[in-house]
């Protein structure tokens, strides 16, 4: 999700590359048919049944065909992210090694809210998958440099100018510095922690949040808060809810609850008291942040959650009443009092529906789940040609991310086909040198492309990565995983599987949908036993979940295709 728009924004590139068609597609029936098949596979309906007509053997063949196709799509995704990584590192400041905010002369500076929040973290994550030496070397050094050069108020970052070799703003502005730090945490360091767990990046995250609250100087009836900026407070709500579980430090929940009280129990309720509620980025953060806080309070302080329930439901009920169009998508903004709304739709619709779905999980309100399902079902028939955020790659990235996060919970067939279509539109915006649009929003292209690749591999990855590898996966009706893995040249390494990161890394009480998470697909429980069957060599063995997450050692001969089936054993 982008943090700001300035020189080098997508407006400067509007109309330059591959816009979607504006007339109806002649291949629409084929898209629908493909969507239905993809939906059956995603839902695990692949065994012999009257619904599918597949025998078990036919179901397996279809699944492996799908896994092979997924491998080709994932390979393109990894390669595009690697090109992005190489291209942006080539534009780094030679003296400091930091990347600029954008590729214009005016953008020759590092800042937390843009370069740090939206671009740098996805260079790091790309390298985790494609170049570990780069991750542990140059990209980790960039973090150390950033901390050394940009910390201006305690550990809080300020803008560092490459031309001045010092602060871009001569005087320290605490509001701007808090904004930079909060965005860096929410859009950058939290996603890194979602995937990496405890790391130098999570240490940076915790330090920034602690120092933001150290400088909370705005008095409210509920205690001092750092700012009245709506977006920043949404960042802090999300950070507080997750850091409470991650650190075990109750201060993070105390701080977040001040903001929750401010918006739900005082005179700043988003739909009762505001004249305009922005549902796109720079506004949606509070809406989703309040649901994240509600999750935490439900488990840690249920009496407070009870006080929040009615005002929180009132907020979401009003969005249902006045914030949606006829297809269930969300406006950029609306006036909660009058129902007046923007003409355009927000690309961050999925972030709001994360909140709806979370409330459904917690409180069992059918209308909240149905709102998310309605949005997913409308995508292919109504938004296959929509120009998100003025045809910006960043707009496509946010919209596709929202769909993937919800598809992880609700495998709607047509929405899966829509994602496959729209990712191609977004990918077409990448230039031959690997740059997408030349601003910090390029990182969001990589973020969503990584999410897409992990969907196609069901969370698995090959290390060391190479561009000729084809790794794809699909699930069967029992929840087992079928993996198709091939290489053009001889390869030796490890096939690494995902873990329940929400619990093992973040220590969350449940895996609720949240902004900037990387959805969990197939995950291996550390102490569970799994059967791994090599169908190519007709060989099987057993492994603990921790062995799968550490990585199965494998070798491939040139041109070899390996087929694996992995299933959890009942003991």
């Amino acid at each position: 999700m982008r943090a700001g728009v300035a020189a080098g924004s997508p407006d400067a590139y509007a109309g330059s590359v591959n816009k979607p068609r504006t007339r109806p597609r002649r291949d629409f029936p084929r898209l629908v048919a493909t969507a239905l098949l993809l939906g059956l596979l995603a839902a695990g309906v692949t065994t012999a049944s009257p619904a599918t007509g597949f025998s078990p053997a036919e179901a397996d063949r279809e699944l492996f065909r799908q896994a092979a196709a997924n491998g080709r799509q994932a390979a393109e995704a990894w390669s595009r992210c690697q090109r992005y990584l190489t291209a942006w590192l080539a534009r780094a400041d030679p003296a400091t090694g930091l990347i600029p905010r954008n590729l214009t002369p005016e953008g020759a500076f590092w800042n937390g809210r843009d370069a740090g929040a939206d671009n740098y973290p996805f260079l790091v994550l790309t390298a985790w998958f494609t170049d570990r030496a780069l991750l542990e070397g140059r990209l980790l050094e960039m973090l150390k440099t950033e901390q050394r050069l940009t910390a201006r108020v305690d550990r809080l970052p300020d803008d560092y100018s490459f031309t001045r070799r010092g602060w871009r703003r001569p005087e320290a502005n605490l509001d701007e510095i808090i904004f930079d730090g909060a965005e860096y945490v929410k859009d950058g360091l939290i996603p890194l922690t979602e995937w990496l767990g405890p790391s130098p990046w999570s240490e940076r995250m915790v330090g920034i949040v602690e120092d933001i609250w150290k400088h909370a100087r705005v008095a409210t009836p509920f205690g001092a808060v750092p700012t009245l900026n709506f977006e920043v407070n949404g960042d802090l709500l999300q950070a507080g809810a997750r850091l409470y579980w991650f650190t075990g430090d109750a201060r993070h929940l105390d701080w977040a609850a001040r903001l929750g009280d401010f918006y739900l129990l005082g005179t700043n309720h988003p739909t009762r008291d505001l004249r305009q509620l922005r549902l796109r980025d720079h506004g949606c953060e509070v809406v989703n942040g309040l649901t994240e806080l509600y999750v935490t309070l439900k488990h840690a302080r249920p009496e407070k959650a009870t006080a929040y329930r009615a005002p929180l439901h009132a907020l979401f009920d009003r969005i249902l009443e006045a914030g949606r169009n006829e297809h269930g998508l969300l406006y950029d903004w609306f006036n909660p009092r009058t129902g007046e709304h923007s003409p355009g739709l927000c690309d961050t619709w999925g972030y709001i529906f994360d909140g709806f779905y979370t409330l459904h999980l917690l409180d069992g309100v059918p209308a909240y789940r149905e709102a998310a399902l309605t949005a997913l079902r409308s995508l292919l028939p109504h938004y296959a040609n929509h120009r998100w955020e003025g045809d910006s790659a960043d707009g496509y990235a946010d919209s596709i991310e929202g769909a993937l996060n919800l598809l992880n919970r609700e495998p709607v067939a047509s929405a899966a086909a829509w994602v496959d279509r729209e990712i191609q539109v977004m990918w077409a915006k990448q230039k031959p040198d690997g740059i997408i649009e030349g601003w910090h929003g390029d990182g969001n292209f990589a973020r969503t492309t990584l999410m897409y690749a992990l969907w196609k591999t069901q969370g698995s990855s090959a290390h060391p990565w190479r561009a000729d590898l084809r790794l794809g996966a699909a699930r069967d009706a029992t929840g087992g995983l079928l993996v198709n893995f091939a290489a053009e040249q001889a390869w030796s390494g490890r096939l690494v599987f995902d873990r329940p990161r929400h619990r093992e890394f973040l220590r969350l009480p449940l895996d609720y949908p949240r902004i900037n998470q990387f959805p969990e697909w197939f995950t291996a429980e550390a102490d569970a036993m799994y059967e791994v069957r090599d169908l190519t060599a007709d060989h099987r063995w057993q492994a603990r979940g921790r062995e799968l997450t550490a990585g199965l050692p494998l070798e491939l001969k040139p041109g070899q295709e390996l087929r694996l089936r992995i299933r959890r054993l009942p003991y």
Side-chain angles (χ1 to χ4, degrees):
M1 194 161 101
R2 68 177 186 173
V5 179
S9 75
D11 293 341
Y13 300 92
S16 62
V17 287
N18 297 347
K19 292 183 178 176
R21 303 174 187 178
T22 55
R23 57 180 181 276
R25 292 177 59 95
R26 296 179 180 176
D27 58 352
F28 187 78
R30 179 182 61 79
L31 282 173
V32 173
T34 302
L36 293 174
L37 176 59
L38 288 170
L40 290 173
L41 293 171
V45 184
T46 53
T47 55
S49 71
T52 66
F54 287 158
S55 70
E58 289 171 334
D60 273 4
R61 284 195 293 271
E62 186 57 47
L63 277 170
F64 276 116
R65 280 195 293 269
Q66 185 60 48
N70 288 345
R72 292 188 290 272
Q73 292 166 310
E76 181 174 0
W78 301 128
S79 292
R80 286 185 176 278
C81 288
Q82 178 65 17
R83 287 168 49 205
Y84 145 84
L85 170 64
T86 302
W88 269 95
L89 288 182
R91 271 71 171 186
D93 174 51
T96 64
L98 298 177
I99 57 168
R101 179 177 185 267
N102 61 54
L103 300 182
T104 66
E106 296 79 13
F109 63 93
W110 166 282
N111 67 337
R113 73 183 67 179
D114 298 321
D118 293 329
N119 209 353
Y120 168 64
F122 304 109
L123 300 175
V124 172
L125 280 183
T126 296
W128 190 94
F129 290 105
T130 65
D131 193 333
R132 290 293 184 87
L134 188 61
L135 170 70
E136 296 163 4
R138 186 173 175 185
L139 289 164
L140 181 56
E141 188 61 34
M142 198 180 296
L143 175 70
K144 295 175 182 176
T145 301
E146 173 269 312
Q147 292 179 85
R148 186 180 73 254
L149 294 180
T150 75
R152 191 167 192 178
V153 177
D154 297 320
R155 289 167 288 185
L156 300 182
D158 202 357
D159 300 0
Y160 182 87
S161 169
F162 302 153
T163 54
R164 295 181 179 179
R165 299 296 169 206
W167 306 120
R168 187 174 71 93
R169 292 184 283 253
E171 302 295 328
N173 182 317
L174 186 59
D175 278 347
E176 295 294 328
I177 289 170
I178 287 173
F179 195 136
D180 273 355
E183 283 285 287
Y184 189 15
V185 165
K186 191 266 291 181
D187 281 334
L189 298 171
I190 284 179
L192 285 176
T193 304
E194 285 263 354
W195 189 265
L196 300 177
S199 73
W201 291 276
S202 68
E203 293 174 8
R204 179 71 169 127
M205 169 183 69
V206 173
I208 290 174
V209 172
E210 288 179 348
D211 285 349
I212 286 176
W213 283 98
K214 177 181 176 181
H215 294 278
R217 299 171 181 173
V218 180
T220 79
F222 310 100
V225 298
T227 180
L228 295 180
N229 183 292
F230 198 71
E231 178 179 8
V232 173
N233 284 339
D235 295 344
L236 295 175
L237 279 164
Q238 294 173 48
R242 296 191 216 183
L243 264 64
Y244 167 73
W245 297 107
F246 181 69
T247 65
D249 186 341
R251 291 181 302 164
H252 291 288
L253 185 52
D254 293 339
W255 293 331
R258 286 186 206 172
L259 293 171
D261 291 354
F262 182 75
Y263 287 112
L264 293 178
L265 304 182
T267 57
N268 295 279
H269 188 276
T271 54
R272 186 182 61 232
D273 299 312
L274 298 186
R275 296 185 181 276
Q276 184 183 105
L277 177 59
R278 184 177 171 124
L279 298 177
R280 62 172 293 169
D281 54 340
H282 313 303
C284 65
E285 293 83 1
V286 162
V287 176
N288 196 276
L290 288 170
T291 64
E292 291 214 37
L293 175 59
Y294 188 59
V295 169
T296 301
L297 293 172
K298 272 271 193 174
H299 290 83
R301 298 177 186 175
E303 71 288 345
K304 175 68 78 170
T306 299
Y308 280 5
R309 191 181 193 278
L312 188 59
H313 282 228
L315 161 60
F316 280 86
D317 290 344
R318 186 54 182 156
I319 293 173
L320 286 185
E321 293 168 352
R324 301 185 296 169
N325 75 352
E326 67 274 21
H327 302 133
L329 270 292
L330 298 170
Y331 299 115
D332 276 336
W333 58 265
F334 76 105
N335 184 324
R337 300 185 181 187
T338 66
E340 178 190 5
H341 58 77
S342 67
L345 300 177
C346 68
D347 56 303
T348 52
W349 55 271
Y351 301 164
I352 299 291
F353 288 120
D354 285 349
F356 275 104
Y357 203 86
T358 296
L359 286 183
H360 153 68
L361 292 176
L362 294 174
D363 295 340
V365 181
Y368 294 166
R369 174 175 179 259
E370 188 58 36
L373 285 170
T374 298
L376 286 174
R377 291 168 180 154
S378 75
L379 293 172
L380 188 64
H382 300 293
Y383 297 95
N385 299 290
H386 191 74
R387 294 158 60 91
W388 297 103
E389 204 174 45
D391 202 31
S392 158
D394 177 66
Y396 286 93
D398 287 350
S399 190
I400 294 167
E401 178 200 0
L404 283 171
N405 212 10
L406 293 170
L407 277 170
N408 180 257
R409 279 85 183 177
E410 299 283 352
V412 174
S414 61
W418 178 87
V419 169
D420 280 332
R421 181 196 183 277
E422 297 305 301
I423 201 80
Q424 296 293 332
V425 177
M426 185 182 80
W427 283 352
K429 297 179 181 300
Q430 188 172 30
K431 298 175 175 60
D433 66 356
I435 295 294
I436 297 89
E437 293 172 333
W439 62 302
H440 54 275
D442 284 9
N444 294 338
F445 170 102
R447 175 207 64 206
T448 298
T449 298
L450 291 171
M451 290 181 180
Y452 180 82
L454 290 166
W455 177 41
K456 295 300 180 178
T457 68
Q458 291 291 290
S460 61
S461 54
H463 303 267
W465 173 83
R466 282 200 328 241
D468 67 300
L469 300 181
R470 300 291 181 268
L471 171 62
R475 300 287 287 278
D476 67 19
T478 68
L481 186 72
L482 280 71
V483 177
N484 196 92
F485 189 24
E488 295 177 8
Q489 304 298 323
W491 178 87
S492 176
R494 290 183 176 271
L495 181 58
V496 175
F497 296 88
D498 199 7
R499 67 185 73 214
R501 288 171 280 106
H502 76 280
R503 186 171 67 250
E504 292 187 14
F505 286 169
L506 298 181
R507 305 185 183 94
L508 297 178
L510 75 159
D511 187 20
Y512 61 91
R514 50 200 181 273
I515 294 176
N516 291 333
Q517 80 164 118
F518 282 80
E520 296 173 12
W521 303 98
F522 177 84
T523 58
E525 299 281 349
D527 294 324
M529 187 67 75
Y530 294 81
E531 180 188 75
V532 182
R533 185 177 179 185
D534 180 348
L535 298 176
T536 310
D538 194 22
H539 171 62
R540 70 181 72 191
W541 68 97
Q542 293 182 2
R544 291 285 182 189
R546 62 174 58 88
E547 296 176 70
L548 299 182
T549 58
L552 292 178
L554 295 175
E555 291 186 0
L556 292 176
K557 297 176 182 178
Q560 181 183 359
E561 184 177 58
L562 180 67
R563 289 184 169 185
L564 300 176
R565 181 193 295 276
I566 301 170
R567 66 183 184 92
R568 182 172 176 171
L569 297 174
Y571 53 84

